[in-house]
Amino acid sequence: MRWGNFTKFLVIVLAIVAVFGYYISPLAGSIKQGLDLQGGTHIVLEAVDTPEAKVDEDAVQRVVKIIERRINELGLTEPIIQRQGERRIIVELPGIKEPEKAIEIIGKTALLEFQDESGTTVMTGKDLKDAKAQIDQSNRNLVSLEFSDEGTRKFAELTAKNIGKHIAILLDKQVLTSPVVEEAIPSGKAVITGNRSIEEAQRLALLLRSGSLPVKVDVLETRTVGPTLGQDSKQKSVVAFGIGIAAIVLFMLAFYRLSGFVANITLLLYVLMLLVTLKMLNATLTLPGIAGIILSMGMAVDANVLIFERFKEEFRAGKTLRAAMDAGFNRAFATILDSNVTTLIAAVVLFYLGTGPIKGFAITLGIGIILSMFTAITMTRWLLRTLIYANAFKNGKLFGA
């Protein structure tokens, strides 16, 4: 018996179990939960015509953009803002239990300001008539501005007094851009140049036009919602998750014994690594996200089953434990790689084409597949090799063979 290898194996196993037991609860509790798990506020808005402004496609797009920006300022993760029909906008805010406060923030009048280099506000959004993204003759992407009559006079004075200096354009106290004045501009029209893509120029133009809501918006419905699937369903999901994990652990121990024990240890490591990754990405966990985690855990166990079955075949063919283990991993690797890569491709497609909860499912599934590949092929192999090389257990039946 090689005590060095056996001691190394025991130390690693105890370390994984101890770290899992100490950190699993704080880690799981620190990950943000989505609307379906923690509830929040559901708001239905509708753009309406007024004598001063009629509702059109551009106006509704600007309203959606303004609301998105204001909600992002709240620091919320995975809010849902989507159009419903031509005029309605659905807003769902996880964790917000005060609808009145949310409506106040969504509906507030944005403040667009033009400031000189000293920080003095000279003009506001009411002086801006229009802003558009354009491409000039030199193929540069720029944003053209057109001011009202009063704005034309103010902008002429502002540029005349600040030639060679920066003027700042702010929206809700955040600097959108800070161009340098090259000459006085009395015409009421100006352009903002700079090294930006056409998409960035279009976004800046949209933000400039979005100084305030372009049309009147009525609140049709406001309600505070509990977890979408209900607290009862959430608790049942937790119980089902626990039963499923326990069944996996018992199955691996019953059929593969020491190999199954090693697989269960690496499964703990996999769960830890997955939660740490989600925490580092500041991800928001939803029920579809949990489904992605469970599916990737199943694939991690499936990878171990493939490896151990190959291991058993090689051992029964007359190879030693060491040779059978190495051959088992080598023979199963191609199958595991193919299976995980195809699933990973599906997760990438779902992420790019899906929205909201579908993206959450794709993210957790994709991360889970990558981590499960690492734990199943790398950690399981290393731990199992360390145990076999320790020569503490020489009977193949102890490894399920």
Side-chain angles (χ1 to χ4, degrees):
M1 180 172 175
R2 298 176 180 176
W3 285 102
N5 282 352
F6 191 67
T7 303
K8 185 193 298 182
F9 174 80
L10 288 180
V11 169
I12 295 297
V13 168
L14 290 175
I16 292 174
V17 173
V19 172
F20 181 87
Y22 187 78
Y23 286 107
I24 188 63
S25 183
L27 262 178
S30 65
I31 294 177
K32 297 177 181 177
Q33 299 181 356
L35 188 71
D36 54 353
L37 293 180
Q38 65 170 325
T41 295
H42 176 90
I43 302 170
V44 180
L45 305 170
E46 183 175 75
V48 296
D49 292 321
T50 61
E52 294 80 19
K54 301 297 182 183
V55 176
D56 56 23
E57 179 65 21
D58 181 66
V60 177
Q61 285 187 2
R62 288 161 62 187
V63 170
V64 171
K65 199 70 180 177
I66 294 169
I67 291 174
E68 284 180 348
R69 179 170 49 77
R70 293 175 180 175
I71 288 176
N72 288 337
E73 290 176 358
L74 294 175
L76 299 179
T77 53
E78 284 204 5
I80 295 174
I81 303 132
Q82 59 186 6
R83 286 185 61 176
Q84 183 183 60
E86 295 182 356
R87 298 187 174 214
R88 290 189 179 181
I89 301 167
I90 306 294
V91 180
E92 293 184 342
L93 308 173
I96 297 295
K97 303 295 177 61
E98 300 175 356
E100 297 78 12
K101 183 180 178 181
I103 291 174
E104 180 184 353
I105 294 172
I106 291 172
K108 72 178 181 181
T109 301
L111 180 62
L112 180 66
E113 298 173 284
F114 292 74
Q115 294 183 347
D116 61 20
E117 209 162 51
S118 67
T120 302
T121 299
V122 180
M123 304 168 61
T124 64
K126 68 182 180 60
D127 298 310
L128 183 65
K129 188 176 180 179
D130 197 7
K132 294 179 180 177
Q134 293 181 344
I135 301 176
D136 67 6
Q137 295 179 343
S138 302
N139 207 30
R140 293 182 306 172
N141 301 313
L142 50 84
V143 178
S144 66
L145 306 177
E146 183 178 354
F147 298 100
S148 63
D149 294 340
E150 181 67 14
T152 298
R153 184 186 63 77
K154 291 180 180 178
F155 196 67
E157 292 180 2
L158 176 65
T159 52
K161 293 178 181 178
N162 292 275
I163 294 176
K165 299 179 181 178
H166 287 276
I167 59 172
I169 303 176
L170 303 91
L171 191 60
D172 286 346
K173 302 300 181 183
Q174 292 186 358
V175 177
L176 290 179
T177 183
S178 181
V180 175
V181 179
E182 297 178 353
E183 59 182 352
I185 304 174
S187 63
K189 294 183 179 180
V191 295
I192 301 174
T193 60
N195 296 322
R196 54 173 63 88
S197 65
I198 186 63
E199 289 79 15
E200 291 171 334
Q202 289 171 341
R203 179 176 177 277
L204 177 58
L206 179 61
L207 288 173
L208 289 170
R209 295 199 307 271
S210 304
S212 59
L213 293 179
V215 293
K216 186 174 183 292
V217 175
D218 286 344
V219 179
L220 296 186
E221 179 185 354
T222 304
R223 56 189 168 89
T224 302
V225 297
T228 305
L229 297 183
Q231 189 65 28
D232 184 55
S233 296
K234 180 181 173 182
Q235 292 172 349
K236 287 181 178 177
S237 299
V238 172
V239 173
F241 181 79
I243 293 174
I245 292 295
I248 289 173
V249 169
L250 293 175
F251 173 83
M252 296 302 287
L253 287 174
F255 279 83
Y256 302 107
R257 301 180 177 99
L258 286 174
S259 298
F261 174 75
V262 171
N264 289 335
I265 294 300
T266 55
L267 189 61
L268 298 182
L269 181 63
Y270 159 78
V271 173
L272 269 178
M273 293 171 64
L274 181 60
L275 292 179
V276 169
T277 304
L278 293 176
K279 178 66 178 176
M280 290 174 65
L281 295 175
N282 199 26
T284 298
L285 199 59
T286 61
L287 279 178
I290 293 175
I293 292 174
I294 295 174
L295 183 56
S296 64
M297 288 177 66
M299 294 192 68
V301 174
D302 181 59
N304 284 323
V305 169
L306 285 172
I307 292 168
F308 297 155
E309 287 298 324
R310 298 290 186 276
F311 175 31
K312 288 165 60 176
E313 290 176 2
E314 297 295 331
F315 182 77
R316 289 169 182 169
K319 292 184 178 179
T320 64
L321 280 175
R322 294 183 188 183
M325 188 271 294
D326 287 333
F329 275 92
N330 293 334
R331 287 185 58 192
F333 178 76
T335 305
I336 296 170
L337 183 64
D338 289 347
S339 171
N340 282 274
V341 167
T342 51
T343 308
L344 191 59
I345 291 172
V348 171
V349 173
L350 284 175
F351 177 79
Y352 279 104
L353 300 183
T355 58
I358 302 299
K359 281 194 172 185
F361 172 79
I363 289 173
T364 54
L365 178 61
I367 295 173
I369 289 172
I370 294 171
L371 294 179
S372 69
M373 284 278 287
F374 170 76
T375 55
I377 295 175
T378 304
M379 285 304 298
T380 302
R381 183 173 190 169
W382 183 75
L383 276 175
L384 199 55
R385 175 182 286 178
T386 304
L387 180 61
I388 292 175
Y389 280 28
N391 279 330
F393 306 99
K394 300 177 182 177
N395 190 336
K397 292 183 179 178
L398 294 175
F399 293 89

Coordinates of all heavy atoms in Angstrom, one line a residue, residues 6 8 21 34 90 97 135 139 149 160 202 222 244 251 269 293 321 345 352 366 378 396:
F6 N -2.6 7.3 -0.8 CA -3.9 7.2 -0.1 C -4.2 8.4 0.8 O -5.3 8.9 0.9 CB -3.8 5.9 0.8 CG -5.1 5.5 1.4 CD1 -6.2 5.1 0.6 CD2 -5.3 5.6 2.8 CE1 -7.4 4.7 1.2 CE2 -6.5 5.3 3.3 CZ -7.6 4.8 2.5
K8 N -3.1 11.4 0.2 CA -3.4 12.5 -0.7 C -4.9 12.4 -1.1 O -5.6 13.4 -1.1 CB -2.6 12.5 -2.0 CG -2.8 13.6 -2.9 CD -2.1 13.4 -4.3 CE -0.6 13.2 -4.1 NZ 0.0 13.0 -5.5
G21 N -19.6 21.7 2.5 CA -20.5 21.9 3.6 C -20.5 23.3 4.2 O -21.5 23.8 4.6
G34 N -34.8 35.3 -9.8 CA -35.7 36.0 -10.8 C -37.1 36.2 -10.3 O -37.4 35.8 -9.2
I90 N -45.0 45.8 -21.6 CA -45.1 45.0 -20.3 C -43.7 45.2 -19.6 O -42.7 45.1 -20.2 CB -45.3 43.5 -20.6 CG1 -46.5 43.3 -21.5 CG2 -45.3 42.7 -19.3 CD1 -47.8 43.7 -20.8
K97 N -41.3 45.3 -4.7 CA -42.6 45.1 -4.1 C -43.4 46.4 -3.9 O -44.5 46.3 -3.3 CB -42.4 44.4 -2.7 CG -41.6 43.1 -2.8 CD -42.3 42.0 -3.6 CE -41.5 40.8 -3.7 NZ -41.1 40.2 -2.4
I135 N -24.0 59.0 -42.0 CA -22.7 58.7 -42.5 C -22.3 59.9 -43.4 O -23.0 60.1 -44.4 CB -22.6 57.4 -43.2 CG1 -23.1 56.3 -42.3 CG2 -21.2 57.1 -43.7 CD1 -23.2 54.9 -42.9
N139 N -17.2 58.8 -45.0 CA -17.6 57.5 -44.5 C -17.5 57.5 -43.0 O -17.3 56.4 -42.4 CB -16.8 56.4 -45.1 CG -17.6 55.1 -45.1 OD1 -18.8 55.1 -45.2 ND2 -16.9 54.0 -45.0
D149 N -35.9 77.1 -32.4 CA -35.4 78.4 -32.6 C -34.7 79.0 -31.3 O -33.6 79.6 -31.5 CB -36.7 79.3 -32.9 CG -37.3 79.0 -34.2 OD1 -36.6 78.3 -35.0 OD2 -38.5 79.3 -34.4
A160 N -19.9 79.6 -29.5 CA -19.0 80.8 -29.7 C -18.1 81.0 -28.5 O -17.0 81.4 -28.6 CB -19.9 82.0 -30.0
Q202 N -26.4 55.4 -33.8 CA -27.9 55.3 -33.8 C -28.4 55.3 -32.3 O -29.4 55.9 -32.0 CB -28.3 54.0 -34.5 CG -28.2 54.1 -36.0 CD -28.4 52.8 -36.7 OE1 -28.3 51.7 -36.1 NE2 -28.6 52.8 -38.0
T222 N -51.3 47.5 -12.6 CA -50.1 47.4 -11.7 C -50.4 46.4 -10.6 O -51.5 46.5 -10.0 CB -49.8 48.8 -11.1 OG1 -49.6 49.7 -12.1 CG2 -48.5 48.7 -10.2
G244 N -33.7 13.9 -5.9 CA -33.0 13.5 -7.2 C -31.5 13.3 -6.9 O -30.9 12.4 -7.3
F251 N -27.4 5.6 -6.2 CA -27.3 4.8 -7.4 C -25.8 4.6 -7.8 O -25.3 3.4 -8.0 CB -28.0 5.4 -8.6 CG -27.7 4.8 -10.0 CD1 -28.4 3.7 -10.4 CD2 -26.7 5.3 -10.8 CE1 -28.2 3.0 -11.6 CE2 -26.4 4.6 -12.0 CZ -27.2 3.5 -12.4
L269 N -18.0 18.9 -6.0 CA -17.1 19.9 -6.5 C -17.7 20.7 -7.7 O -17.6 21.9 -7.8 CB -15.8 19.3 -7.0 CG -14.7 20.3 -7.5 CD1 -14.2 21.2 -6.4 CD2 -13.5 19.5 -8.0
I293 N -29.4 23.7 -14.7 CA -28.4 23.1 -13.8 C -28.6 21.6 -13.6 O -27.7 20.8 -13.7 CB -28.5 23.8 -12.5 CG1 -28.0 25.3 -12.6 CG2 -27.6 23.1 -11.4 CD1 -28.2 26.1 -11.4
L321 N -6.3 -3.0 -12.8 CA -7.2 -1.9 -12.4 C -6.6 -0.6 -13.1 O -7.4 0.2 -13.6 CB -7.2 -1.7 -10.9 CG -8.2 -2.7 -10.2 CD1 -8.1 -2.5 -8.7 CD2 -9.7 -2.4 -10.6
I345 N -23.7 23.4 -28.3 CA -24.2 24.1 -29.5 C -25.6 24.5 -29.3 O -26.0 25.6 -29.6 CB -23.9 23.3 -30.8 CG1 -22.4 23.1 -31.0 CG2 -24.6 23.9 -32.0 CD1 -22.1 22.1 -32.1
Y352 N -28.6 32.9 -28.1 CA -28.7 34.0 -29.1 C -30.1 34.2 -29.6 O -30.5 35.4 -30.0 CB -27.8 33.7 -30.2 CG -26.3 34.1 -29.9 CD1 -25.4 33.1 -29.6 CD2 -25.9 35.4 -29.9 CE1 -24.1 33.4 -29.3 CE2 -24.6 35.7 -29.6 CZ -23.7 34.8 -29.3 OH -22.4 35.1 -28.9
G366 N -25.1 25.8 -20.5 CA -23.8 25.9 -21.1 C -22.6 25.9 -20.1 O -21.7 25.1 -20.3
T378 N -11.5 15.2 -15.8 CA -10.2 15.6 -15.2 C -10.2 15.2 -13.7 O -9.3 14.4 -13.3 CB -10.0 17.1 -15.3 OG1 -10.1 17.5 -16.7 CG2 -8.6 17.5 -14.8
G396 N -11.4 -5.9 -7.9 CA -12.2 -5.1 -8.9 C -13.7 -4.9 -8.5 O -14.3 -3.9 -8.9

